[in-house]
Amino acid sequence: MPDLQALVTDFVLKLKRRKIEGSQATAKQTAELLRQVVSQQRMPYTNQASVLIDGVRAVGEQLIAANPIELAVGNIVRRVLHIIREENLSSTTAAMEGLGLTAGSDDDEGEHEDHPGLSAAAVAAAARSTLRAPSLQTLLEDIPESAVAPHPSSSGGDSEGKSKSADRSSRSKKLKHDVIEAINELIQDIDTCHELISEQAVEHIHQNEVILTLGRSRTVKEFLCAAKEKKRSFRVFVAEGAPRYQGHVLAKELVGKGIQTTVITDSAVFAMISRVNMVIVGAHAIMANGGVIAPVGINMVALAAQRHAVPFVVVAGSHKLCPLYPHNPEVLLNELKCPSDLLDFGEFSDCMDYGSLGGSPLLHVVNPAFDYVQPKLAARISNFVCSASSNQLPQPGGWSHGVKFPLLDHYGFGILDRFHGDDVESQGGHNPSYVYRLIADYYSADDLVNYLHPLLNHPMSSHDDCPSMIYGFLCSRCHHRLGGGEATARGQRGHEVRRVNSKIRIIGSAKEVDPS
Amino acid sequence: MDMRRPPRTVSDPKVRQVGFVTPSAAPPTRSLSDAPTTVAAASASSPPSGEISLLGSSLSPVMIPPPRHASSDGRPSAPVAVPNPASSLRRDSLRIRVGSYNASEVVLGTPPSASPSSRTDNAASEFSEETMSPWHGRSGTAKVASSFPGSSSEMIVMKTGVGGGGGAGSTPKSPLTTASVVKTLPGISEKEREVLMGTQNDGAGASKTLKEKTTKAERRALQEAQRAAKAAAKEAGAGVKPSTASGSAVVANTKQGKVVKPPPQKKDGPQIAPPSGSSEKKVVDRPPEKDRKKDVPAPRMQFDDKHRVEKAKRRAVVNQFEAKNRVELFRHLPQYIHGTQLPDLEGKFFQLDPMHPSVYKVGLQYLSGQISGSNARCIAMLLAFREAIRDYSTPPEKALVRDLTAKISSYVSFLIECRPLSISMGNTIKFLKNRIAKLPDTMSESEAKSSLQSDIDRFINEKIVIADKVIIRHAVTKIRDGDVLLTYGLSSVVEMILVYAHEVGKQFRVVIVDSRPKLEGQVLLHRLVAKGLNCTYTHINAISYIMHEVTRVFLGAASVLSNGTVYSRVGTACVAMVANAFRVPVLICCEAYKFHERVQLDSICSNELGDPDVISRVSGRQDLNHLDNWADNENLQLLNLSYDATPSDYVSMIITDYGMVCFY
């Protein structure tokens, strides 16, 4: 499939060159690409699921490697894999049930088939129970199933060869079809996450609220605007969010909607936070331990909010929920941007001269892109914006329309799930310690094991246009690469540790049997 | 920063009264002659005073409640608060009030028709004005104190018609600006007062009864007259004297003409503070308020009080413009308007004779931001004062102690208009005034001047230069080889520490954290790199990233308050907080002269607002133009804070010239 391969390389290049900005766009394009992959995958007669999984995984690895910092890519890859597993599982179960019903007719033939059938059912049940948290929802949903499930298996085997093969061929098409359907839903999810999140705005913003945010996040913008449209009047402090100063853009947008907006410098965050009722920020990614990776500066805001016991809310779509357990994420999952954002090269070229005299440069410029907000702080603050409430789980037959709305109150999450099947909306908040549950809903443990996050070298090629190269500045990105600084050393060491760590973690939680 | 409460309440009243009473000599004679009047006035005024006290209590919200003195609303408490010759002083003030009041009555000849409501309004506004003046004189208690008497006398002048202005006109100095006019006017006070007293006394019997019944209309008329006087004076320019004296005032006027001459030169401090005619009027009408005010510590100017702001504006040398899109939370602070004033002020350079050129220059440098940093500002101010003292000569019939104090106060209030004082400057001014006050009477003028100059030199040397050296010695002991030291912004003492440690041969790395809009860190970066230090530069948002590798945080401070709060450039709190979260020790380097006994809990109540425009522009980023024309949209405000308060639990240690202090 040259066509597909071309698409993949194209996308990989875009990722490498950081041409795609923003998690949402990345996630959506990834999902679309993977849909292509799935649809073009040639399906063998047997073992279709694993073929699909292998195909997606191969592409996924390339994508993840292209931009390891953009966690949304990996998230989407893993979710597609999870979709495939789920669909496969549900079709097997359906088949088994069907078989079980027909099995009653002749018992004698089916002796040898009995075991596979039984084991498949057992596996399915086990998988379901492990994949899905035993929340209120699952308990309610699963009762009939689990009551039914043992019955066919106990009643014995089945099997006519013809009906089975016919069944399989229909199933093979059905699997692919279902997977594509589910991916479509996923894409739709990603598209609509802002609307779904902002639906909740009025529930969290009261009249005359004073809100602080830093930088610009589209989710935050929509959230605030939604509240304004519902006639809430409130005041927003926008920290400008150096070095990108996206806060200016946000301020302009908010003012356009008639929201009282005050732009402050980032340094004034601590001064202002004591008069703020709530901090609402966007995120780059939400890690499995409940930690948040967010634009640089957020950690400072979070600490200040903690100091003054101000609720700290993170709004983010479900595609930002990352199943990885971060280790030292502020170094490993960070990206050092071009120093020209901070220093004017013309002005500081003389400093470079001093530097060159001594051999090693005297001047370093650090311009990281992300901050990591630790989840452990959450324990200290006990008031949550939303208490954890029923988080609906994927329905057996379909893929949930899950839109995450993590509300971190001091890193507590709130989650909005929207149901595809019955259009039920439920929403609630969750403690960061609950994130692992959500992750179990959205991801398979197998994918976690197989997809250790690779820490790749920075692509120098994509960085040629950085003015730092022209001026001979030690570009932070290259600085990483050149290995001069301790950041590199630290990074590599950290990386190894992290890898070990995550393995242990995953092995610990991945004791269930592989459903495929 | 605008804060600076007057030093001590206790000492305050004293000074004030001294200023008011006018040197020891004048009052006694007067009091003798006026004694009967005073008594009569007192008795006559007693009813109104009671009423006033009531009003005062109901009005209390207007003014920032000075908690200590809550009880002193009424007159009675005043004496208690003022331990010293309160009684005689008070009587004196009373007399003056009465006199002036009467004078106004006589002059205006308006029939008293009192409507309670109007009176209350008036009282409120007056009250606020009154409280305002202290703000102006914040830094100098003496000024505040003296302002009242000056104002009252000025008031009298006003009432008597523009006579005061005319009288002043005859004096060599010409009042160009309102402030200067105001200043010159009060100068008349002493003698004129006496003169007026005489006239008043004549008419006292009749007018006394009227006193209580001043109506709003009357007051308004008064105000009008004052305003007219000011305007006239302004227009008149240098040589030309406004001859608009009202007919009624003519008599007084002629007398004043002679009398007035000396005062303008003398230029009391008081005059500066109480520039507006309005405040005097109030004082005149309402004796009790004045009393009360004396013992209340002058509250900081609160800019959300419209009346006071109005008054302040009127008397200001620096033109005040209405700031656009003010942030609701910070209405109580002086809005940043300075940028627009600069050219205007520069134009006035040769017109403001009361201001010593060196002081003027420093003021402009504050205004334009050429001098910033509390040490630098403090030194600049002291040097300017030193020069001013050198060129100072006591006017005839004046005591050097009082006149010089007043003069310094006027300089200070000018500097405040240019930029709110820093705490260090406030302490320094306190020191200087203290030195002046303690000059022995026996000392000759030249001796006094040279002693003051050497005091100033010594202060700069001991409290700042040597103190810094001591701090550096202390701090260097806390730097070990291999350290990574983080600093924020540009603190002169921290810079010296780093350079010294480098010279001593310590091996360390420096992380410079910077923030918009000042980007002072770049200056530091330049200097340190030029000296060969290994520097890492980043912005404040990346503080959490860089803090991993940091082993010490060195920060400067504008002040250390008595609850351990470190008051410093905005962002310091963020840095200290993150350092604390990462368990990195935070060392604050602060000279002991910057310590202050105030307590501050947040960064909102007192702060300084910078130019909001600089937020909308990011240097070197032409693409960021989203906030252009921000002032057009009323929903958008830009807030540029200058300071913040770092809670003491983020601070591991404070290094001062007296040693190193740990809070915990």
Side-chain angles (χ1 to χ4, degrees), chain B residues 475 478 484-488 494 497 543 547 550-557 560 564-568 571-590 644-656 660-664:
Chain B
K478 298 295 168 199
V484 180
L485 310 178
L486 183 143
T487 185
Y488 173 67
V494 171
I497 289 170
I543 184 82
M547 197 55 85
V550 171
T551 57
R552 296 264 188 289
V553 175
F554 280 94
L555 297 172
V560 177
T565 300
V566 174
Y567 189 71
S568 188
T572 302
C574 288
V575 173
M577 173 184 67
V578 175
N580 185 61
F582 282 83
R583 309 281 185 270
V584 177
V586 177
L587 294 89
I588 303 283
C589 307
C590 183
D644 67 11
T646 309
S648 61
D649 45 350
Y650 290 155
V651 177
S652 317
M653 176 184 279
I654 295 184
I655 305 179
T656 77
M660 295 180 274
V661 190
C662 274
F663 282 146
Y664 297 109

Side-chain angles (χ1 to χ4, degrees), chain A residues 255 260 275 307 362 364 366, chain B residues 535 537-538 602 633 635 649:
Chain A
V255 165
Q260 284 282 320
R275 296 297 180 275
R307 162 88 189 182
L362 284 179
H364 298 256
V366 179
Chain B
C535 296
Y537 178 86
T538 191
D602 58 23
N633 196 322
N635 283 332
D649 45 350

Side-chain angles (χ1 to χ4, degrees), chain B residues 230-385:
Chain B
K230 269 187 216 163
K234 245 190 208 165
E235 287 163 16
V240 189
K241 298 308 156 184
S243 58
T244 54
S246 64
S248 61
V250 168
V251 180
N253 212 357
T254 55
K255 273 187 193 169
Q256 285 167 1
K258 303 171 212 158
V259 179
V260 170
K261 267 198 181 177
Q265 290 165 340
K266 132 182 157 191
K267 226 143 259 164
D268 297 288
Q271 307 128 355
I272 301 148
S276 64
S278 51
S279 64
E280 319 78 32
K281 164 188 63 182
K282 148 201 28 177
V283 174
V284 174
D285 293 16
R286 319 262 146 169
E289 265 155 38
K290 181 183 178 183
D291 279 356
R292 182 210 313 189
K293 182 211 178 150
K294 263 193 214 158
D295 25 79
V296 170
R300 260 172 279 152
M301 171 76 165
Q302 301 294 318
F303 285 79
D304 45 354
D305 189 320
K306 279 183 192 153
H307 297 292
R308 271 184 274 163
V309 172
E310 274 304 304
K311 298 296 148 70
K313 233 186 248 178
R314 244 179 276 154
R315 72 186 157 197
V317 175
V318 180
N319 286 350
Q320 311 273 325
F321 296 94
E322 195 61 35
K324 281 179 278 183
N325 294 14
R326 297 198 285 177
V327 182
E328 203 55 48
L329 264 178
F330 291 93
R331 282 189 178 270
H332 61 286
L333 296 178
Q335 303 296 312
Y336 183 91
I337 27 163
H338 298 181
T340 50
Q341 297 167 344
L342 198 52
D344 188 52
L345 259 190
E346 274 166 355
K348 282 185 190 163
F349 187 86
F350 298 104
Q351 303 172 8
L352 281 174
D353 11 36
M355 214 54 66
H356 191 278
S358 60
V359 176
Y360 201 84
K361 189 175 138 207
V362 170
L364 288 182
Q365 282 170 333
Y366 288 173
L367 200 55
S368 63
Q370 282 171 22
I371 296 184
S372 65
S374 56
N375 276 345
R377 284 168 71 194
C378 205
I379 292 175
M381 180 186 72
L382 279 175
L383 292 178
F385 284 172

Side-chain angles (χ1 to χ4, degrees), chain B residues 21 27 37 44 47-48 52 60 72 135 153-154 165 200 238 280 307 354 378 443 450 466 524 544 551 573 589 593 644:
Chain B
V21 176
T37 334
I52 286 152
S60 56
S72 66
W135 160 70
S153 65
E154 178 196 351
Q200 293 157 7
E280 319 78 32
H307 297 292
C378 205
M443 205 178 249
S450 62
I466 295 184
L524 182 64
S544 311
T551 57
C589 307
Y593 85 101
D644 67 11

Side-chain angles (χ1 to χ4, degrees), chain A residues 384 386-389 391 407 411-415 428-432 434 438:
Chain A
F384 289 87
C386 313
S387 61
S389 69
N391 169 37
L407 271 180
Y411 329 109
F413 286 81
I415 281 152
H430 297 278
N431 197 312
Y434 189 74
L438 303 173

Side-chain angles (χ1 to χ4, degrees), chain A residues 45-117:
Chain A
Y45 191 68
T46 54
N47 212 7
Q48 298 168 332
S50 62
V51 170
L52 267 187
I53 287 173
D54 288 342
V56 170
R57 195 178 273 177
V59 174
E61 270 167 359
Q62 294 180 54
L63 299 185
I64 292 174
N67 186 355
I69 305 303
E70 185 50 273
L71 294 167
V73 177
N75 297 345
I76 295 302
V77 171
R78 290 187 188 91
R79 279 181 67 167
V80 169
L81 290 174
H82 183 67
I83 286 171
I84 298 169
R85 287 182 212 281
E86 277 274 310
E87 295 299 339
N88 183 39
L89 188 65
S90 62
S91 59
T92 350
T93 339
M96 273 187 327
E97 282 165 15
L99 291 178
L101 288 178
T102 57
S105 53
D106 33 15
D107 316 11
D108 37 313
E109 274 190 75
E111 281 300 319
H112 64 285
E113 298 268 19
D114 191 29
H115 292 293

